[in-house]
Amino acid sequence: MADEPDQVAVTYERRDYALTPSPGEVILPTHGRMIHHDPACLHLSDSHTLGRFPDPERLLWRRLIDSAPSDDTAGRARFARSIDLLNGSGRPLVGPCSCVLSPISATQASTLRPWPLDEAVKAFDRDRFAPILREMEEAAEEVRRAFPWEDWPTLPLERYALGQGDSAKTQPYCYVLEFGSQALGSIAGGSSMKHLVYARSQDGSWWHDARYADEQEAWHAVRAGIVSAVTAAREGRLADLDSIDAIRSGPALISKTLRVYVPEGSVPIYGTDHARHFIQRLTGQPASGLERFALRARLKEVVDERFAGWSYDLVAEFLYWWADPNRTQQIVKIAAGEGGSLWEECRAGGFIAVGWDGAPDLRSYADKDEFLAAFARAYADEYNGHKPKITAKANEVWKLLSLCPGDLVVANRGTSEILGIGRVKGDGYVWREDRAAFRHTVEVEWDETHAGRLEEPERSWATVTVKDVSAQLWARIRRTGQPTETPSAASTVAAQPLDADLRPLADALQRRGQAVLFGPPGTGKTYTALRFAARWLGELAGELPGVDPYAEPGTSAFGRTLDALTAAGRLTTVTFHPSYGYEDFVEGFRPVKGGPGGLLLDLTDGVFKRVCATAADDPSHPYLVVVDELNRGNLPKIFGELITLLEKDKRGHPVLLPLSQTQFRVPDNVYLIGTMNTADRSVRMLDAAIRRRFAFLELLPDSSPLQGCHVEQLHLADLLDSLNQRIRAHLDREKQIGQAFLLPNGAPVDSAAELAAIVRGEIMPLLQEYAYDDYSLLAAFLGEALVDPETHALRDLSDEGLTTALYTELQLKGGAAQ
């Protein structure tokens, strides 16, 4: 388990794992496809006679996973065959079992000793990286030939900046650095602001620091700053770069520039957070209090001490291989044109493409807000000025910019067919000016292993081009096609990435220890908390029976997972209410049978105290408490002294409980999620001490689960978006209607009778409460075809008539406030 003293933390494919070191030999299963380090592993129940494979260096696990990516089982099988690493049935082994590498949380990883540097250096295959190092130096030399250093003091702006005509043809420096020198590492992602000065391709206007009067003044300052930076780096004064104001906003650009012109001056780590991460891993000490280039100077000092004789390029490759700071992988589906019309050229060209070319090159916008405004101007007529629809489509396009090498793209045709799965490569997003249409592209390497049809169609794909893929859907996608050499899903080391909507919650818990999900009714706060619990706790549950972290919410498997986690004590759910008190949550006197009168008062531990006691005895697993309706309780009274102990830096510190006179601690592995309905009570009304100790994550209505879903002619996503637009206009954002109202039992409503029942019995009463029975306001929300403001009643319409009235009012007229 993760608390065993010989376990170490390992990073692989953006996930943290606990490594149980090899005992000097690998255990071979009779029928399974995984290598094992523990002869008592439950996955070895298939035989009493197990083979052994010598592992004197204790590094076979690493050599196996390095032989091919986790989804390339054929590649791993070739490696295994080459060394005769076979199971008892003669089949090659393709991965490590969980008794070798066990998925753990980032918090758990921080409590383990990192995989030792000396072992990692021993396992690192330098020869495998020799071609990469040659490519890096060749790419740097190409840049130096195109932009000789002696030309820089007088380099004209047009030779530097993006956005002036067709950059792919003119090849200015910033284009070459971001798109034409991939071998040197990526600085892709985000907007063009990192280039310090650039021209907006949509109108030719210039972006630069507002302190400068025009682009020429800005360029003179930036150019002088770059020259000063390279000069300082050549003189060994790397930390002095922090004092050059003109380049302060472009650390990635400057770091890559140093790799080109001063390869001996710094380690080519372009991200500041990455530099900080590597210093801590190499020294065991946090690199706090240092500015960006002082941080890089410190990294260089550490590297010089520990990697004598290594090139800085090789050191960078090693660091990312050993302790990659990237922890998340995105999986998105992108339609390959209408009816798959773009698939053949996308497959042949190694990219995926989408339209909306009226809002060109995403990297030419200063930020997302500027892009949203440009998209709205370009497509207002196409979407009839419907703001929610415009924003939703703009967000789909902007999503492309966040895709990085290693992320996955599922190409689909319609709602059921998977055409291929691509791994993002190169610089990810590329605006291709040379294409006649569909110029927004992402570079990918395609794999058609899983091409085929889904077991059940994804209705939302009918009207959405770009969409996140959930873990549950990803599991279904991987079952399509005819995969070969596929290991058991239960024992494969590859873990599915956390869904995008769950990542902020995981980050908040790691950062603060407790978080509150708040928002209007029906936005899925409790649903999200329990889905997160099943996924997060389930992945870290080891061999706990009945747990499936990827079970679909609403299914019996999902219910069994929550039940199993609850029975094991890992998950505890409570609901606060006005009568809930300190004695329920922490400790208090309770009547029990006994004594002269038949009852006596006994001091009893409350829910949270019992969870903490259990967690303290099991530090290898996280324990989660979900508090529903958090704001309905008297929080200062319920929490008492816990207000202090909940803080991350106070975890493990004792406090004297006044009733029992015992010392009480909140362990590091206890987490708390609260849910809060803002229609009942605003976050601003919470006790200030509570607010300071929780991270607050707002959940607003999300129509994406309703995309492509219709009741007769009414598109449910348009219904929700338009209704909420009207509510925001007349009331406020906290009074909106959540998507859960239209997702009974987790599935979109699909009949006029069911929709009418929901409107009459759930939505209408809530809107009446919001409007204080002002039927003129209700008519402004739903239209006078549904609401009679004179008789103060919902009109007597048939189910089909009500659906038609909603369609006319909220889809055709849209969200315009009446």
Side-chain angles (χ1 to χ4, degrees):
M1 301 306 295
D3 60 340
E4 295 178 7
D6 60 345
Q7 286 196 318
V8 295
V10 172
T11 304
Y12 172 66
E13 289 191 347
R14 302 189 183 185
R15 287 298 307 267
D16 289 305
Y17 295 90
L19 165 68
T20 300
S22 165
E25 62 180 5
V26 166
I27 302 164
L28 308 177
T30 301
H31 302 292
R33 307 296 305 280
M34 302 287 130
I35 63 172
H36 298 261
H37 287 173
D38 181 3
C41 178
L42 295 178
H43 293 138
L44 290 170
S45 59
D46 56 356
S47 175
H48 296 291
T49 304
L50 299 170
R52 299 290 194 274
F53 191 92
D55 186 19
E57 291 186 310
R58 304 189 176 197
L59 293 172
L60 184 59
W61 65 273
R62 187 78 215 200
R63 305 205 190 284
L64 178 58
I65 65 176
D66 280 346
S67 66
S70 59
D71 57 359
D72 182 7
T73 52
R76 289 187 178 181
R78 286 192 295 272
F79 168 79
R81 286 195 183 96
S82 73
I83 62 172
D84 290 328
L85 182 64
L86 309 174
N87 67 14
S89 304
R91 301 186 70 194
L93 303 185
V94 294
C97 177
S98 57
C99 71
V100 179
L101 289 181
S102 176
I104 57 177
S105 69
T107 300
Q108 289 175 295
S110 67
T111 67
L112 294 179
R113 182 170 59 99
W115 186 32
L117 179 62
D118 56 347
E119 288 187 25
V121 170
K122 189 176 180 180
F124 185 63
D125 184 0
R126 300 193 198 187
D127 292 341
R128 184 160 67 96
F129 290 89
I132 296 175
L133 301 186
R134 285 195 297 271
E135 288 180 21
M136 292 180 71
E137 186 48 40
E138 290 169 1
E141 183 56 34
E142 283 188 26
V143 178
R144 290 191 290 265
R145 280 198 299 267
F147 301 90
W149 180 244
E150 55 270 20
D151 291 353
W152 269 90
T154 57
L155 191 73
L157 177 59
E158 56 268 20
R159 288 283 290 134
Y160 172 84
L162 288 170
Q164 307 167 91
D166 187 350
S167 294
K169 292 181 179 178
T170 60
Q171 297 274 304
Y173 179 75
C174 288
Y175 181 89
V176 171
L177 214 63
E178 184 165 2
F179 305 107
S181 54
Q182 297 175 1
L184 292 175
S186 176
I187 60 171
S191 71
S192 293
M193 291 173 66
K194 62 177 172 282
H195 293 301
L196 303 170
V197 56
Y198 69 93
R200 296 182 175 94
S201 59
Q202 60 269 28
D203 60 9
S205 63
W206 286 89
W207 184 93
H208 52 77
D209 191 313
R211 81 179 82 179
Y212 304 116
D214 56 32
E215 69 274 9
Q216 286 299 330
E217 181 181 339
W219 168 234
H220 290 158
V222 168
R223 182 178 62 193
I226 292 174
V227 171
S228 297
V230 171
T231 301
R234 285 179 170 175
E235 296 173 356
R237 298 183 290 108
L238 194 58
D240 287 357
L241 273 65
D242 288 319
S243 63
I244 305 175
D245 285 344
I247 61 171
R248 190 177 297 276
S249 299
L253 172 84
I254 300 303
S255 295
K256 192 166 182 179
T257 295
L258 295 183
R259 167 57 190 88
V260 173
Y261 294 105
V262 200
E264 74 290 349
S266 64
V267 183
I269 303 296
Y270 305 144
T272 299
D273 290 341
H274 290 192
R276 185 175 292 110
H277 167 82
F278 289 133
I279 291 172
Q280 179 155 7
R281 288 299 301 267
L282 289 168
T283 67
Q285 300 296 322
S288 56
L290 296 176
E291 291 196 61
R292 293 172 175 180
F293 286 97
L295 198 66
R296 288 161 171 81
R298 174 60 181 148
L299 178 61
K300 181 177 182 298
E301 291 175 1
V302 173
V303 166
D304 288 344
E305 292 173 4
R306 304 195 175 204
F307 295 90
W310 291 45
S311 72
Y312 287 150
D313 287 344
L314 182 60
V315 170
E317 294 296 326
F318 169 81
L319 291 177
Y320 280 103
W321 172 86
W322 172 53
D324 191 344
N326 296 303
R327 288 294 189 276
T328 59
Q329 180 189 49
Q330 295 190 87
I331 303 178
V332 299
K333 84 89 188 176
I334 303 179
E338 185 174 357
S341 59
L342 299 175
W343 173 237
E344 292 304 324
E345 62 174 313
C346 287
R347 179 174 58 178
F351 61 86
I352 190 72
V354 305
W356 296 289
D357 298 342
D361 194 348
L362 300 180
R363 291 199 172 102
S364 69
Y365 298 95
D367 53 31
K368 183 178 180 180
D369 289 341
E370 185 176 287
F371 168 73
L372 292 177
F375 189 94
R377 289 192 298 270
Y379 292 99
D381 291 342
E382 181 169 336
Y383 297 113
N384 299 316
H386 192 232
K387 290 182 180 180
K389 176 73 73 176
I390 293 170
T391 300
K393 291 302 177 184
N395 285 334
E396 288 184 48
V397 182
W398 188 257
K399 181 74 175 180
L400 303 181
L401 195 57
S402 70
L403 297 177
C404 300
D407 290 336
L408 299 178
V409 172
V410 177
N412 71 292
R413 173 161 49 204
T415 60
S416 301
E417 187 175 0
I418 306 302
L419 299 170
I421 298 174
R423 186 177 294 272
V424 177
K425 64 178 183 178
D427 287 311
Y429 171 80
V430 177
W431 169 256
R432 298 180 185 245
E433 190 72 46
D434 56 329
R435 289 177 56 80
F438 298 93
R439 297 172 178 174
H440 294 288
T441 70
V442 176
E443 296 183 77
V444 295
E445 183 176 354
W446 291 111
D447 176 5
E448 297 178 75
T449 302
H450 297 282
R453 301 190 72 82
L454 291 172
E455 301 157 352
E456 297 180 4
E458 273 296 304
R459 290 172 61 186
S460 66
W461 285 9
T463 57
V464 177
T465 301
V466 182
K467 186 176 176 63
D468 286 319
V469 172
S470 69
Q472 291 81 12
L473 177 56
W474 176 236
R476 290 169 52 202
I477 290 171
R478 294 189 69 177
R479 291 197 293 268
T480 61
Q482 298 295 324
T484 59
E485 303 284 4
T486 301
S488 165
S491 57
T492 179
V493 72
Q496 298 168 18
L498 199 62
D499 294 351
D501 63 327
L502 298 182
R503 291 174 201 151
L505 183 52
D507 293 342
L509 291 182
Q510 181 181 349
R511 187 175 66 253
R512 300 298 297 274
Q514 48 276 336
V516 173
L517 300 174
F518 71 99
T523 50
K525 298 175 287 297
T526 304
Y527 168 84
T528 298
L530 294 179
R531 188 162 61 93
F532 175 82
R535 178 68 191 284
W536 190 60
L537 295 175
E539 280 191 343
L540 306 174
E543 306 303 325
L544 200 62
V547 172
D548 178 4
Y550 307 116
E552 291 272 4
T555 63
S556 58
F558 185 76
R560 287 194 299 270
T561 296
L562 295 180
D563 289 344
L565 293 170
T566 300
R570 310 279 176 80
L571 171 65
T572 301
T573 56
V574 298
T575 300
F576 282 1
H577 50 78
S579 297
Y580 203 90
Y582 178 87
E583 64 275 13
D584 301 295
F585 202 60
V586 184
E587 65 177 12
F589 288 98
R590 290 287 190 180
V592 295
K593 290 182 179 181
L599 291 175
L600 56 82
L601 292 177
D602 187 36
L603 186 60
T604 305
D605 290 341
V607 171
F608 192 72
K609 188 178 179 183
R610 294 197 298 269
V611 170
C612 289
T614 305
D617 293 335
D618 183 20
S620 64
H621 291 103
Y623 283 72
L624 179 64
V625 178
V626 175
V627 179
D628 210 11
E629 304 286 357
L630 180 79
N631 53 318
R632 294 190 65 232
N634 185 336
L635 300 186
K637 177 183 175 183
I638 293 172
F639 283 107
E641 2 349 79
L642 297 187
I643 290 299
T644 298
L645 298 185
L646 286 175
E647 292 192 67
K648 285 287 283 185
D649 60 353
K650 303 297 192 303
R651 293 296 182 93
H653 290 197
V655 66
L656 183 68
L657 297 180
L659 295 179
S660 63
Q661 289 295 299
T662 58
Q663 298 289 341
F664 175 67
R665 295 172 173 84
V666 177
D668 286 333
N669 59 325
V670 172
Y671 303 87
L672 192 150
I673 297 174
T675 70
M676 178 174 164
N677 192 333
T678 53
D680 299 332
R681 187 182 184 193
S682 170
V683 171
R684 296 185 297 274
M685 302 297 291
L686 287 181
D687 181 84
I690 298 291
R691 291 203 308 271
R692 288 195 300 269
R693 286 164 172 82
F694 283 78
F696 284 82
L697 305 175
E698 186 174 27
L699 297 186
L700 291 173
D702 176 16
S703 64
S704 60
L706 303 170
Q707 290 290 341
C709 302
H710 294 76
V711 172
E712 298 180 354
Q713 74 273 47
L714 175 62
H715 187 202
L716 296 179
D718 287 346
L719 165 64
L720 185 69
D721 288 337
S722 297
L723 177 57
N724 281 327
Q725 187 173 341
R726 293 185 177 190
I727 292 173
R728 290 194 302 270
H730 287 285
L731 297 175
D732 57 59
R733 68 205 304 261
E734 295 181 347
K735 298 291 194 299
Q736 297 180 83
I737 301 294
Q739 66 278 4
F741 284 96
L742 301 176
L743 293 164
N745 300 316
V749 59
D750 59 3
S751 71
E754 192 175 17
L755 177 61
I758 290 171
V759 171
R760 295 184 182 114
E762 299 174 37
I763 294 178
M764 186 64 178
L766 185 61
L767 293 178
Q768 286 176 303
E769 180 183 336
Y770 288 168
Y772 298 98
D773 285 330
D774 179 349
Y775 278 77
S776 295
L777 182 55
L778 287 175
F781 293 150
L782 297 171
E784 292 192 10
L786 282 87
V787 177
D788 187 341
E790 295 184 2
T791 63
H792 290 199
L794 191 66
R795 295 189 188 276
D796 186 15
L797 300 174
S798 66
D799 296 341
E800 291 75 14
L802 186 146
T803 299
T804 300
L806 288 172
Y807 166 72
T808 303
E809 182 68 26
L810 291 171
Q811 185 168 335
L812 298 186
K813 293 183 180 179
Q818 302 299 304

